């Protein structure tokens, strides 16, 4: 397995769980809790972008990530 897969798989699971919880909280009228998950979701997006950047940088440098 590649490092990219090892990093992206848990991030994907976390993002999916956050999105599901966000949807359910909003539907139940828990707006404040849903807002907290929106923040978490945006940070997951930042983490995903950082991992992608690091993986591309490793490829450019000829690294075996």
């Amino acid at each position: 397995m590649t490092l990219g897969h090892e990093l992206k798989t848990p991030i994907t699971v976390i993002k999916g769980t956050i999105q599901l919880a966000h949807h359910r909280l909003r539907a139940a009228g828990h707006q404040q809790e849903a807002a907290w998950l929106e923040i978490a979701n945006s940070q997951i997006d930042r983490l995903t972008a950082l991992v992608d950047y690091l993986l591309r940088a490793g490829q450019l440098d000829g690294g075996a990530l």
Side-chain angles (χ1 to χ4, degrees):
M1 298 218 171
T2 66
L3 178 60
H5 179 74
E6 292 297 319
L7 289 170
K8 288 183 176 187
T9 298
I11 292 172
T12 301
V13 171
I14 293 167
K15 183 168 180 69
T17 302
I18 288 172
Q19 288 175 334
L20 179 61
H22 177 261
H23 174 74
R24 289 184 177 179
L25 286 169
R26 278 189 40 185
H30 299 285
Q31 299 306 318
Q32 182 61 50
E33 291 83 355
W36 295 333
L37 291 179
E38 286 179 29
I39 294 167
N41 193 47
S42 69
Q43 295 304 308
I44 290 292
D45 290 341
R46 287 183 64 199
L47 181 59
T48 300
L50 179 60
V51 168
D52 288 342
Y53 172 79
L54 290 172
L55 292 172
R56 282 193 310 273
Q59 290 172 348
L60 292 175
D61 289 341
L65 296 176

